[in-house]
Amino acid sequence: VRKDVAGYDLKSLLVGSEGTLAIITGAWLRLLPAPEAALPVVAFYQGAEDGTLALRSVLQNGLTVAVLEYLEGAALAAAAGSFPAAVPDGAGFAVIAEADGTAAEAAQLRDDLVALLGPDALSTHAPIEARAVRELWQWRDGVSLAVTAQRGGKVSEDIAVPLDRLGEAIQGTLEIGARHGLETCSWGHAGDGNLHSTFLIDSRDPDELARAEAAADELFDLALRLGGTVSGEHGTGVVKRSALSRQMSPAATRLHEAIKDVFDPKGLLNPGKKMPL
Amino acid sequence: VRKDVAGYDLKSLLVGSEGTLAIITGAWLRLLPAPEAALPVVAFYQGAEDGTLALRSVLQNGLTVAVLEYLEGAALAAAAGSFPAAVPDGAGFAVIAEADGTAAEAAQLRDDLVALLGPDALSTHAPIEARAVRELWQWRDGVSLAVTAQRGGKVSEDIAVPLDRLGEAIQGTLEIGARHGLETCSWGHAGDGNLHSTFLIDSRDPDELARAEAAADELFDLALRLGGTVSGEHGTGVVKRSALSRQMSPAATRLHEAIKDVFDPKGLLNPGKKMPL
């Protein structure tokens, strides 16, 4: 049923509950038709300041993009070598947007994006051919691996902040890394305010790992200070339970514990996960 | 924050809880840009059978309409006199769809709708001028009043069913009304499977009112038999508590009661509402 306001919305309570409230044995999925066309636009900028202005201009102009991503600093540098076109000298920030819809809609929105992002960009790359589009997204899929390959390891968190605080979150990530003497970068889903804030490490170096974990812990405080969340997409599990305690008020913590108790009074369902410590 | 998977989704639990779990003192709303154009297409059919086939063809062809409404039988008859164009003789069912987006998108989708709905329709009405579009929706806003005006009163429910059961729900509504000797019709939001199933009565006639209330109660069983819900949009309140008990399993009832107890152990928040009896 598409519309149902009879009882409480228990479905939404279970979605994202990480198996702590119930075992889901079946699901109905709603399918949307695939768009006829999806045309990406990549724009390169010198740094985070002009890059986040560009992101904001897409949002403020109400362009209904299907994708709005960014790569900053060391993340862009790590992946630049395999970018399927030329990356301009001095590029320290990349914005990736995608226009989708019917062929005509996508072409129009793509032109709007090029017109909006192009003038202040060092360069843009806006492939049209299906193969070139596919190459771009294959490249994007490899970004995390390219970043890991720089030092052999990384410590990364998936904080999210309100859209108007994204620039501060990118800058704050760099400051935390610098304070701990770590090579630092971020990339992620700008349209969701969701960062993959990352510290590049040699994971065989216990001192570096310890510094990166301390720095990662400060990322949570950064997200909360900006009105955000400690997890935009990966969830809480065991690792972020202490961060969750900082995000939630005592009243919210009490509600979480009581709801868990309602669904699972014996504590059998995925014990030790999701709950604030 | 657009994305947040840190804790349980308490926001969705509160949305639609009818004030029984908490008092909401503030809300952030996400705004979407208004479409540049919105073009309605009305198609008239002889009856519910060809009308529901037309509705299904819109859904099955994946046309992403902004609106998909219907009016059937006595509902259409009650409102036909004020329809802003000619209603063809013998029309017993109307489909109203709307195409929105940029001017080009809306025009294209409108043409697709006319091509899809037109051939089997008695006639179509697809205004383009802003004034004519406005007149159509003003007319649609008056349908409920026009239906009420036939006998001075009505008893109406807002059941919803899976989209592929809509035809059975429309037919089932008519059968229930016939069994109770009541003039009966329905109209509503076909794209949501949401019917306003309605019995027309003289509300000063206690016998007729009693029959209509008995018939309305059977609508709930009809909705549940078709895999639907006793309320698509109006909620539970006091009136539908007994129907809610039929919709929910004993386990779901227990969860609702326990969640209410977690948020409101003293039973102070909108007492007597929303809970299954």
Side-chain angles (χ1 to χ4, degrees), chain A residues 229-240:
Chain A
T229 173
V230 301
S231 182
E233 57 189 22
H234 296 168
T236 305
V238 174
V239 172
K240 286 191 202 161

Side-chain angles (χ1 to χ4, degrees), chain A residues 154-236:
Chain A
K154 64 177 164 63
V155 171
S156 195
E157 296 296 346
D158 69 315
I159 57 173
V161 297
L163 297 184
D164 58 338
R165 312 303 293 268
L166 184 67
E168 291 166 82
I170 293 171
Q171 189 55 38
T173 295
L174 294 171
E175 286 166 10
I176 289 169
R179 213 160 43 236
H180 290 271
L182 295 160
E183 200 174 344
T184 305
C185 65
S186 72
W187 71 95
H189 318 301
D192 292 325
N194 189 189
L195 297 77
H196 296 295
S197 292
T198 300
F199 307 111
L200 283 63
I201 61 164
D202 176 348
S203 43
R204 293 162 307 181
D205 180 340
D207 172 61
E208 204 168 53
L209 182 60
R211 280 185 285 130
E213 286 180 347
D217 197 71
E218 289 183 30
L219 290 175
F220 299 138
D221 294 325
L222 170 68
L224 298 176
R225 195 169 67 243
L226 297 175
T229 173
V230 301
S231 182
E233 57 189 22
H234 296 168
T236 305

Side-chain angles (χ1 to χ4, degrees), chain A residues 1-9 12 20-21 105 191-192 194 227 229 231-233 235-236 247 256 258 262 274-275, chain B residues 1-9 12 20-21 105 191-192 194 227 229 231-233 235-236 247 256 258 262 274-275:
Chain A
V1 192
R2 283 203 177 183
K3 243 173 162 181
D4 181 4
V5 296
Y8 294 143
D9 185 359
S12 295
T20 61
L21 298 183
E105 286 166 39
D192 292 325
N194 189 189
T229 173
S231 182
E233 57 189 22
T236 305
Q247 179 168 339
H256 275 65
V262 161
K274 189 81 179 172
M275 282 293 108
Chain B
V1 189
R2 283 204 177 183
K3 241 174 162 181
D4 181 4
V5 295
Y8 294 143
D9 185 359
S12 295
T20 61
L21 298 183
E105 286 166 40
D192 292 325
N194 189 189
T229 173
S231 181
E233 57 190 22
T236 305
Q247 178 167 340
H256 276 66
V262 161
K274 189 80 180 173
M275 283 295 107

